[in-house]
Short mmCIF file of all heavy atoms in Angstrom, two decimals:
data_model
loop_
_atom_site.label_atom_id
_atom_site.label_comp_id
_atom_site.label_asym_id
_atom_site.label_seq_id
_atom_site.Cartn_x
_atom_site.Cartn_y
_atom_site.Cartn_z
N TYR A 1 -8.34 0.90 3.04
CA TYR A 1 -8.62 0.71 4.40
C TYR A 1 -8.64 -0.74 4.71
O TYR A 1 -9.54 -1.48 4.27
CB TYR A 1 -9.98 1.38 4.75
CG TYR A 1 -10.23 1.32 6.27
CD1 TYR A 1 -9.77 2.31 7.21
CD2 TYR A 1 -11.03 0.29 6.85
CE1 TYR A 1 -10.02 2.27 8.51
CE2 TYR A 1 -11.28 0.23 8.21
CZ TYR A 1 -10.77 1.18 9.03
OH TYR A 1 -10.98 1.15 10.43
N ALA A 2 -7.69 -1.23 5.58
CA ALA A 2 -7.63 -2.72 5.88
C ALA A 2 -6.92 -2.79 7.21
O ALA A 2 -6.12 -2.00 7.64
CB ALA A 2 -6.86 -3.47 4.80
N ASP A 3 -7.39 -3.83 7.89
CA ASP A 3 -6.82 -4.19 9.26
C ASP A 3 -6.98 -2.95 10.19
O ASP A 3 -6.14 -2.66 10.96
CB ASP A 3 -5.35 -4.56 9.18
CG ASP A 3 -5.15 -5.90 8.54
OD1 ASP A 3 -6.06 -6.74 8.73
OD2 ASP A 3 -4.22 -6.09 7.80
N GLY A 4 -8.06 -2.23 10.05
CA GLY A 4 -8.44 -1.15 11.03
C GLY A 4 -7.55 0.17 10.71
O GLY A 4 -7.50 1.08 11.66
N GLY A 5 -6.93 0.30 9.60
CA GLY A 5 -6.16 1.53 9.37
C GLY A 5 -6.02 1.87 7.87
O GLY A 5 -6.31 0.97 6.99
N LEU A 6 -5.67 3.03 7.49
CA LEU A 6 -5.51 3.50 6.19
C LEU A 6 -4.05 3.19 5.63
O LEU A 6 -3.08 3.24 6.38
CB LEU A 6 -5.68 5.02 6.11
CG LEU A 6 -7.06 5.51 6.12
CD1 LEU A 6 -7.11 7.04 6.13
CD2 LEU A 6 -7.91 5.04 4.86
N LEU A 7 -4.04 2.74 4.38
CA LEU A 7 -2.81 2.41 3.69
C LEU A 7 -2.68 3.24 2.46
O LEU A 7 -3.69 3.59 1.85
CB LEU A 7 -2.71 0.92 3.33
CG LEU A 7 -3.18 -0.13 4.39
CD1 LEU A 7 -3.29 -1.50 3.77
CD2 LEU A 7 -2.15 -0.10 5.50
N GLU A 8 -1.44 3.58 2.05
CA GLU A 8 -1.17 4.29 0.81
C GLU A 8 -0.63 3.37 -0.26
O GLU A 8 0.02 2.41 0.04
CB GLU A 8 -0.24 5.49 1.02
CG GLU A 8 -0.76 6.58 1.91
CD GLU A 8 -0.77 6.29 3.36
OE1 GLU A 8 0.17 5.61 3.79
OE2 GLU A 8 -1.66 6.65 4.14
N VAL A 9 -1.00 3.67 -1.50
CA VAL A 9 -0.51 2.92 -2.71
C VAL A 9 0.07 3.95 -3.66
O VAL A 9 -0.45 4.92 -4.01
CB VAL A 9 -1.63 2.21 -3.36
CG1 VAL A 9 -1.03 1.29 -4.48
CG2 VAL A 9 -2.53 1.36 -2.45
N SER A 10 1.37 3.65 -4.09
CA SER A 10 1.98 4.53 -5.06
C SER A 10 1.64 4.06 -6.52
O SER A 10 1.14 2.97 -6.67
CB SER A 10 3.47 4.57 -4.82
OG SER A 10 4.05 3.30 -5.05
N GLY A 11 2.07 4.90 -7.45
CA GLY A 11 1.87 4.52 -8.90
C GLY A 11 0.74 5.31 -9.45
O GLY A 11 -0.10 5.83 -8.71
N GLU A 12 0.81 5.52 -10.78
CA GLU A 12 -0.26 6.26 -11.52
C GLU A 12 -0.80 5.48 -12.62
O GLU A 12 -0.08 4.59 -13.21
CB GLU A 12 0.39 7.59 -11.98
CG GLU A 12 0.78 8.55 -10.83
CD GLU A 12 1.30 9.89 -11.43
OE1 GLU A 12 1.45 9.98 -12.63
OE2 GLU A 12 1.63 10.74 -10.64
N GLY A 13 -2.02 5.83 -13.03
CA GLY A 13 -2.61 5.20 -14.25
C GLY A 13 -2.83 3.68 -14.10
O GLY A 13 -3.00 3.19 -12.99
N TYR A 14 -2.77 3.01 -15.22
CA TYR A 14 -3.03 1.58 -15.24
C TYR A 14 -1.82 0.72 -15.19
O TYR A 14 -1.87 -0.45 -15.34
CB TYR A 14 -3.90 1.26 -16.44
CG TYR A 14 -5.31 1.74 -16.37
CD1 TYR A 14 -5.93 2.26 -17.49
CD2 TYR A 14 -6.03 1.83 -15.19
CE1 TYR A 14 -7.22 2.78 -17.44
CE2 TYR A 14 -7.27 2.31 -15.11
CZ TYR A 14 -7.96 2.79 -16.24
OH TYR A 14 -9.19 3.33 -16.14
N THR A 15 -0.62 1.35 -15.06
CA THR A 15 0.61 0.56 -15.01
C THR A 15 0.71 -0.15 -13.63
O THR A 15 0.61 0.48 -12.56
CB THR A 15 1.84 1.53 -15.07
OG1 THR A 15 1.65 2.25 -16.30
CG2 THR A 15 3.12 0.61 -15.10
N PRO A 16 0.77 -1.50 -13.64
CA PRO A 16 0.79 -2.32 -12.43
C PRO A 16 2.04 -2.23 -11.64
O PRO A 16 2.68 -3.27 -11.38
CB PRO A 16 0.39 -3.74 -12.83
CG PRO A 16 1.01 -3.76 -14.20
CD PRO A 16 0.82 -2.38 -14.84
N GLU A 17 2.50 -1.03 -11.29
CA GLU A 17 3.78 -0.87 -10.56
C GLU A 17 3.54 0.15 -9.43
O GLU A 17 2.93 1.23 -9.58
CB GLU A 17 4.88 -0.28 -11.53
CG GLU A 17 5.25 -1.26 -12.59
CD GLU A 17 6.24 -0.56 -13.54
OE1 GLU A 17 6.63 0.55 -13.32
OE2 GLU A 17 6.65 -1.28 -14.53
N GLY A 18 3.89 -0.30 -8.19
CA GLY A 18 3.71 0.60 -7.05
C GLY A 18 3.91 -0.19 -5.74
O GLY A 18 4.10 -1.41 -5.82
N VAL A 19 4.04 0.49 -4.69
CA VAL A 19 4.28 -0.15 -3.38
C VAL A 19 3.16 0.27 -2.36
O VAL A 19 2.57 1.36 -2.49
CB VAL A 19 5.64 0.30 -2.81
CG1 VAL A 19 6.79 -0.29 -3.64
CG2 VAL A 19 5.75 1.76 -2.65
N PHE A 20 2.97 -0.56 -1.36
CA PHE A 20 2.03 -0.29 -0.30
C PHE A 20 2.74 0.19 0.95
O PHE A 20 3.83 -0.40 1.28
CB PHE A 20 1.27 -1.51 0.01
CG PHE A 20 0.43 -2.05 -1.19
CD1 PHE A 20 1.07 -2.93 -2.10
CD2 PHE A 20 -0.88 -1.76 -1.29
CE1 PHE A 20 0.30 -3.32 -3.18
CE2 PHE A 20 -1.70 -2.25 -2.29
CZ PHE A 20 -1.02 -3.08 -3.30
N SER A 21 2.20 1.18 1.60
CA SER A 21 2.86 1.72 2.82
C SER A 21 1.89 2.25 3.85
O SER A 21 0.65 2.42 3.50
CB SER A 21 3.83 2.91 2.43
OG SER A 21 3.08 3.87 1.88
N ARG A 22 2.30 2.23 5.11
CA ARG A 22 1.49 2.78 6.19
C ARG A 22 2.39 3.74 6.94
O ARG A 22 3.49 3.32 7.48
CB ARG A 22 0.95 1.66 7.09
CG ARG A 22 0.13 2.16 8.25
CD ARG A 22 -0.21 1.15 9.30
NE ARG A 22 -1.18 0.17 8.71
CZ ARG A 22 -1.01 -1.13 8.60
NH1 ARG A 22 0.10 -1.60 9.10
NH2 ARG A 22 -1.97 -1.92 8.17
N ASP A 23 1.99 5.00 7.05
CA ASP A 23 2.68 5.97 7.74
C ASP A 23 4.25 6.12 7.20
O ASP A 23 5.11 6.25 7.96
CB ASP A 23 2.80 5.69 9.26
CG ASP A 23 1.39 5.77 9.83
OD1 ASP A 23 0.54 6.51 9.34
OD2 ASP A 23 1.11 5.06 10.77
N GLY A 24 4.35 5.92 5.91
CA GLY A 24 5.62 6.07 5.29
C GLY A 24 6.50 4.78 5.33
O GLY A 24 7.57 4.84 4.77
N LYS A 25 6.03 3.70 5.96
CA LYS A 25 6.77 2.46 6.06
C LYS A 25 6.22 1.48 5.04
O LYS A 25 5.06 1.27 5.06
CB LYS A 25 6.67 1.96 7.49
CG LYS A 25 7.36 2.86 8.53
CD LYS A 25 7.22 2.16 9.91
CE LYS A 25 7.86 3.14 10.96
NZ LYS A 25 7.65 2.55 12.34
N LEU A 26 7.14 0.86 4.27
CA LEU A 26 6.73 -0.11 3.24
C LEU A 26 6.14 -1.33 3.90
O LEU A 26 6.62 -1.80 4.99
CB LEU A 26 7.92 -0.47 2.35
CG LEU A 26 8.54 0.61 1.50
CD1 LEU A 26 9.70 0.12 0.61
CD2 LEU A 26 7.46 1.29 0.66
N LEU A 27 5.17 -1.91 3.25
CA LEU A 27 4.44 -3.11 3.76
C LEU A 27 4.66 -4.31 2.90
O LEU A 27 4.79 -4.10 1.66
CB LEU A 27 2.95 -2.81 3.94
CG LEU A 27 2.52 -1.74 4.87
CD1 LEU A 27 1.02 -1.60 4.89
CD2 LEU A 27 2.88 -2.10 6.26
N ASP A 28 4.71 -5.49 3.51
CA ASP A 28 4.76 -6.73 2.74
C ASP A 28 3.33 -7.26 2.83
O ASP A 28 2.77 -7.61 3.83
CB ASP A 28 5.69 -7.74 3.50
CG ASP A 28 5.73 -9.05 2.81
OD1 ASP A 28 5.15 -9.20 1.64
OD2 ASP A 28 6.35 -10.01 3.22
N VAL A 29 2.75 -7.36 1.57
CA VAL A 29 1.37 -7.68 1.48
C VAL A 29 1.14 -9.09 2.04
O VAL A 29 0.08 -9.31 2.69
CB VAL A 29 0.91 -7.66 -0.04
CG1 VAL A 29 -0.56 -8.21 -0.16
CG2 VAL A 29 1.01 -6.26 -0.61
N ALA A 30 2.04 -10.03 1.90
CA ALA A 30 1.86 -11.41 2.43
C ALA A 30 1.74 -11.38 3.92
O ALA A 30 1.17 -12.28 4.50
CB ALA A 30 2.99 -12.32 1.90
N ALA A 31 2.34 -10.37 4.57
CA ALA A 31 2.32 -10.37 6.03
C ALA A 31 1.12 -9.62 6.57
O ALA A 31 1.00 -9.37 7.77
CB ALA A 31 3.62 -9.74 6.55
N GLU A 32 0.26 -9.13 5.68
CA GLU A 32 -0.95 -8.34 6.09
C GLU A 32 -2.15 -9.11 5.58
O GLU A 32 -2.64 -8.94 4.46
CB GLU A 32 -0.84 -6.95 5.50
CG GLU A 32 0.32 -6.09 5.79
CD GLU A 32 0.20 -5.54 7.20
OE1 GLU A 32 -0.85 -5.43 7.75
OE2 GLU A 32 1.29 -5.20 7.77
#
C-alpha cells in the first residue's frame, strides 16, 4: 500500500525477481 493505493508484486519465495503493477499495469519504481 503506497501513494494511497494497493500495488501487486509478482514472484515467489526468496528469489529477488518480480515486477510491480497497479490494476494490471507495470510500474516504474523510480517514478513512484
Side-chain angles (χ1 to χ4, degrees):
Y1 185 85
D3 292 324
L6 282 173
L7 313 173
E8 289 79 35
V9 188
S10 64
E12 295 181 355
Y14 292 142
T15 304
E17 297 175 359
V19 295
F20 298 82
S21 61
R22 179 188 290 120
D23 298 328
K25 297 180 181 179
L26 297 183
L27 296 177
D28 179 8
V29 176
E32 302 284 338

